[in-house]
Amino acid sequence: MLEIAPSVLAAHPLYVARDVSKVIEAGASILHLDIMDGHFVPNISFGPAMVKALRVEYPNVLLDVHLMLSQPERYLDDFVAAGADQITIHSEIEGDVPGMLKAIRQAGKGAGISLKPATPAKKIAPYLDLLDLVLIMSVEPGFGGQILMPETLPKLKALRSLGFEGVLSVDGGVNLANSHQVKQAGATRLVMGTAAFTAEDPKAMFEALSAE
């Protein structure tokens, strides 16, 4: 079943609760949270306090936390305590990646890894048994509103060919116009920022995505 995960980064910063409630009422059951440190990516977003606030306000929504951090190991416990359901780190970071993935799972959370556009699928082959999801970045991470890079999509089939059976998520420039292409490539989760939060009728859009 296709999953839609609106990205909270695209909500209006002064009206996050209003915008998030709108997409949840439209049928979204997952929220994607991009955590940026201004170092791994050239932008700063929000931290564990936002995750905790969303956990309290929306207890039945799955919180999919994407750590775009140079040293995610320093903050894993904070995001676990805040109520994240899934925590994704980047394959390009330094440090003990398998150790971090194990720590996430030991905390009872889903473990994920993300690939920037230039990072090949084979890089994460050693970690596949430790993963519940893989997040393919279809734009350079750091900012919303970018155009999807179709050359990133073959990684989805490459990961299946390597034996990965978990969630295949795509993030970056996904919208109703290109969603069929992304799904045909093998995505099981669409992270949608601008497209979800600027839709005049998000419920109709989510239903159209699920019906394709």
Side-chain angles (χ1 to χ4, degrees), residues 9 27 41 53 56 82 97 104 113 127 130 136 141 153 176 211-212:
L9 188 67
V41 292
V56 171
V97 170
I104 294 168
I113 202 162
Y127 313 138
L130 302 173
I136 301 298
L153 299 181
L176 189 57
E212 286 183 8

PDB file of all heavy atoms in Angstrom, residues 9 27 41 53 56 82 97 104 113 127 130 136 141 153 176 211-212:
ATOM      1  N   LEU A   9       8.294  20.459   7.255  1.00  0.00           N
ATOM      2  CA  LEU A   9       9.134  21.603   6.881  1.00  0.00           C
ATOM      3  C   LEU A   9       8.388  22.573   5.973  1.00  0.00           C
ATOM      4  O   LEU A   9       8.677  23.772   5.957  1.00  0.00           O
ATOM      5  CB  LEU A   9      10.408  21.108   6.184  1.00  0.00           C
ATOM      6  CG  LEU A   9      11.491  22.151   5.891  1.00  0.00           C
ATOM      7  CD1 LEU A   9      12.098  22.667   7.195  1.00  0.00           C
ATOM      8  CD2 LEU A   9      12.580  21.556   5.004  1.00  0.00           C
ATOM      9  N   GLY A  27      -6.428  12.870   5.585  1.00  0.00           N
ATOM     10  CA  GLY A  27      -6.144  11.450   5.478  1.00  0.00           C
ATOM     11  C   GLY A  27      -4.713  11.028   5.712  1.00  0.00           C
ATOM     12  O   GLY A  27      -4.412   9.828   5.703  1.00  0.00           O
ATOM     13  N   VAL A  41      23.750  19.949   6.126  1.00  0.00           N
ATOM     14  CA  VAL A  41      23.055  20.653   5.042  1.00  0.00           C
ATOM     15  C   VAL A  41      23.029  22.141   5.390  1.00  0.00           C
ATOM     16  O   VAL A  41      23.061  22.502   6.562  1.00  0.00           O
ATOM     17  CB  VAL A  41      21.608  20.135   4.840  1.00  0.00           C
ATOM     18  CG1 VAL A  41      21.613  18.723   4.300  1.00  0.00           C
ATOM     19  CG2 VAL A  41      20.807  20.208   6.124  1.00  0.00           C
ATOM     20  N   ALA A  53       6.068  17.949  20.584  1.00  0.00           N
ATOM     21  CA  ALA A  53       4.792  18.664  20.484  1.00  0.00           C
ATOM     22  C   ALA A  53       3.832  17.942  19.542  1.00  0.00           C
ATOM     23  O   ALA A  53       2.633  17.815  19.835  1.00  0.00           O
ATOM     24  CB  ALA A  53       5.035  20.095  20.017  1.00  0.00           C
ATOM     25  N   VAL A  56       2.491  14.719  21.193  1.00  0.00           N
ATOM     26  CA  VAL A  56       1.430  14.971  22.170  1.00  0.00           C
ATOM     27  C   VAL A  56       0.115  15.315  21.472  1.00  0.00           C
ATOM     28  O   VAL A  56      -0.958  14.824  21.840  1.00  0.00           O
ATOM     29  CB  VAL A  56       1.853  16.107  23.125  1.00  0.00           C
ATOM     30  CG1 VAL A  56       0.683  16.539  24.003  1.00  0.00           C
ATOM     31  CG2 VAL A  56       3.033  15.667  23.986  1.00  0.00           C
ATOM     32  N   ALA A  82      11.499  12.043  22.551  1.00  0.00           N
ATOM     33  CA  ALA A  82      10.498  12.981  22.055  1.00  0.00           C
ATOM     34  C   ALA A  82       9.315  12.281  21.419  1.00  0.00           C
ATOM     35  O   ALA A  82       8.251  12.882  21.250  1.00  0.00           O
ATOM     36  CB  ALA A  82      11.130  13.935  21.046  1.00  0.00           C
ATOM     37  N   VAL A  97      27.991   3.996  11.646  1.00  0.00           N
ATOM     38  CA  VAL A  97      26.634   3.930  11.086  1.00  0.00           C
ATOM     39  C   VAL A  97      25.890   2.677  11.542  1.00  0.00           C
ATOM     40  O   VAL A  97      24.750   2.773  12.026  1.00  0.00           O
ATOM     41  CB  VAL A  97      26.674   4.045   9.546  1.00  0.00           C
ATOM     42  CG1 VAL A  97      25.305   3.739   8.946  1.00  0.00           C
ATOM     43  CG2 VAL A  97      27.136   5.437   9.132  1.00  0.00           C
ATOM     44  N   ILE A 104      19.049   2.578  17.280  1.00  0.00           N
ATOM     45  CA  ILE A 104      17.674   2.997  16.974  1.00  0.00           C
ATOM     46  C   ILE A 104      16.720   1.825  17.146  1.00  0.00           C
ATOM     47  O   ILE A 104      15.659   1.948  17.769  1.00  0.00           O
ATOM     48  CB  ILE A 104      17.594   3.564  15.541  1.00  0.00           C
ATOM     49  CG1 ILE A 104      18.405   4.874  15.441  1.00  0.00           C
ATOM     50  CG2 ILE A 104      16.140   3.801  15.134  1.00  0.00           C
ATOM     51  CD1 ILE A 104      18.620   5.353  14.019  1.00  0.00           C
ATOM     52  N   ILE A 113      17.936   4.742   6.640  1.00  0.00           N
ATOM     53  CA  ILE A 113      19.139   5.394   6.130  1.00  0.00           C
ATOM     54  C   ILE A 113      18.763   6.133   4.852  1.00  0.00           C
ATOM     55  O   ILE A 113      17.877   5.698   4.111  1.00  0.00           O
ATOM     56  CB  ILE A 113      20.281   4.383   5.883  1.00  0.00           C
ATOM     57  CG1 ILE A 113      21.632   5.071   5.879  1.00  0.00           C
ATOM     58  CG2 ILE A 113      20.068   3.587   4.599  1.00  0.00           C
ATOM     59  CD1 ILE A 113      22.799   4.124   6.085  1.00  0.00           C
ATOM     60  N   TYR A 127      24.367  -2.628   5.220  1.00  0.00           N
ATOM     61  CA  TYR A 127      23.472  -2.267   6.324  1.00  0.00           C
ATOM     62  C   TYR A 127      22.043  -2.764   6.146  1.00  0.00           C
ATOM     63  O   TYR A 127      21.200  -2.528   7.014  1.00  0.00           O
ATOM     64  CB  TYR A 127      23.410  -0.737   6.478  1.00  0.00           C
ATOM     65  CG  TYR A 127      24.726  -0.022   6.477  1.00  0.00           C
ATOM     66  CD1 TYR A 127      24.886   1.171   5.771  1.00  0.00           C
ATOM     67  CD2 TYR A 127      25.819  -0.517   7.188  1.00  0.00           C
ATOM     68  CE1 TYR A 127      26.095   1.843   5.773  1.00  0.00           C
ATOM     69  CE2 TYR A 127      27.039   0.149   7.196  1.00  0.00           C
ATOM     70  CZ  TYR A 127      27.174   1.329   6.480  1.00  0.00           C
ATOM     71  OH  TYR A 127      28.372   1.995   6.476  1.00  0.00           O
ATOM     72  N   LEU A 130      19.880  -4.193   8.831  1.00  0.00           N
ATOM     73  CA  LEU A 130      19.654  -3.337   9.993  1.00  0.00           C
ATOM     74  C   LEU A 130      18.589  -2.282   9.727  1.00  0.00           C
ATOM     75  O   LEU A 130      18.319  -1.440  10.591  1.00  0.00           O
ATOM     76  CB  LEU A 130      20.958  -2.632  10.393  1.00  0.00           C
ATOM     77  CG  LEU A 130      22.146  -3.530  10.737  1.00  0.00           C
ATOM     78  CD1 LEU A 130      23.403  -2.694  10.945  1.00  0.00           C
ATOM     79  CD2 LEU A 130      21.840  -4.347  11.985  1.00  0.00           C
ATOM     80  N   ILE A 136      15.332   7.749  -0.298  1.00  0.00           N
ATOM     81  CA  ILE A 136      16.054   8.237  -1.469  1.00  0.00           C
ATOM     82  C   ILE A 136      15.795   9.736  -1.613  1.00  0.00           C
ATOM     83  O   ILE A 136      14.653  10.165  -1.786  1.00  0.00           O
ATOM     84  CB  ILE A 136      15.600   7.513  -2.752  1.00  0.00           C
ATOM     85  CG1 ILE A 136      15.828   6.012  -2.627  1.00  0.00           C
ATOM     86  CG2 ILE A 136      16.306   8.083  -3.979  1.00  0.00           C
ATOM     87  CD1 ILE A 136      17.260   5.599  -2.446  1.00  0.00           C
ATOM     88  N   PRO A 141      19.528  17.635  -0.458  1.00  0.00           N
ATOM     89  CA  PRO A 141      18.817  17.948   0.780  1.00  0.00           C
ATOM     90  C   PRO A 141      19.175  19.318   1.349  1.00  0.00           C
ATOM     91  O   PRO A 141      20.285  19.808   1.177  1.00  0.00           O
ATOM     92  CB  PRO A 141      19.262  16.823   1.723  1.00  0.00           C
ATOM     93  CG  PRO A 141      20.567  16.349   1.182  1.00  0.00           C
ATOM     94  CD  PRO A 141      20.462  16.514  -0.303  1.00  0.00           C
ATOM     95  N   LEU A 153      15.887   7.816  -9.257  1.00  0.00           N
ATOM     96  CA  LEU A 153      14.860   6.794  -9.030  1.00  0.00           C
ATOM     97  C   LEU A 153      15.310   5.353  -9.307  1.00  0.00           C
ATOM     98  O   LEU A 153      14.778   4.427  -8.669  1.00  0.00           O
ATOM     99  CB  LEU A 153      13.620   7.125  -9.855  1.00  0.00           C
ATOM    100  CG  LEU A 153      12.963   8.474  -9.523  1.00  0.00           C
ATOM    101  CD1 LEU A 153      11.730   8.694 -10.390  1.00  0.00           C
ATOM    102  CD2 LEU A 153      12.600   8.563  -8.046  1.00  0.00           C
ATOM    103  N   LEU A 176       1.782  15.563  -7.590  1.00  0.00           N
ATOM    104  CA  LEU A 176       0.795  14.741  -8.278  1.00  0.00           C
ATOM    105  C   LEU A 176       1.202  14.461  -9.721  1.00  0.00           C
ATOM    106  O   LEU A 176       0.957  13.371 -10.254  1.00  0.00           O
ATOM    107  CB  LEU A 176      -0.575  15.437  -8.240  1.00  0.00           C
ATOM    108  CG  LEU A 176      -1.776  14.626  -8.717  1.00  0.00           C
ATOM    109  CD1 LEU A 176      -1.924  13.341  -7.921  1.00  0.00           C
ATOM    110  CD2 LEU A 176      -3.048  15.464  -8.612  1.00  0.00           C
ATOM    111  N   ALA A 211      -5.139   6.064  -5.662  1.00  0.00           N
ATOM    112  CA  ALA A 211      -5.940   5.374  -6.672  1.00  0.00           C
ATOM    113  C   ALA A 211      -5.155   5.024  -7.919  1.00  0.00           C
ATOM    114  O   ALA A 211      -5.563   4.173  -8.694  1.00  0.00           O
ATOM    115  CB  ALA A 211      -7.138   6.240  -7.048  1.00  0.00           C
ATOM    116  N   GLU A 212      -4.027   5.706  -8.144  1.00  0.00           N
ATOM    117  CA  GLU A 212      -3.281   5.487  -9.385  1.00  0.00           C
ATOM    118  C   GLU A 212      -2.754   4.074  -9.472  1.00  0.00           C
ATOM    119  O   GLU A 212      -2.356   3.489  -8.475  1.00  0.00           O
ATOM    120  CB  GLU A 212      -2.103   6.469  -9.460  1.00  0.00           C
ATOM    121  CG  GLU A 212      -2.539   7.894  -9.781  1.00  0.00           C
ATOM    122  CD  GLU A 212      -1.334   8.808  -9.928  1.00  0.00           C
ATOM    123  OE1 GLU A 212      -0.184   8.309  -9.927  1.00  0.00           O
ATOM    124  OE2 GLU A 212      -1.527  10.002 -10.038  1.00  0.00           O
TER     125      GLU A 212
END
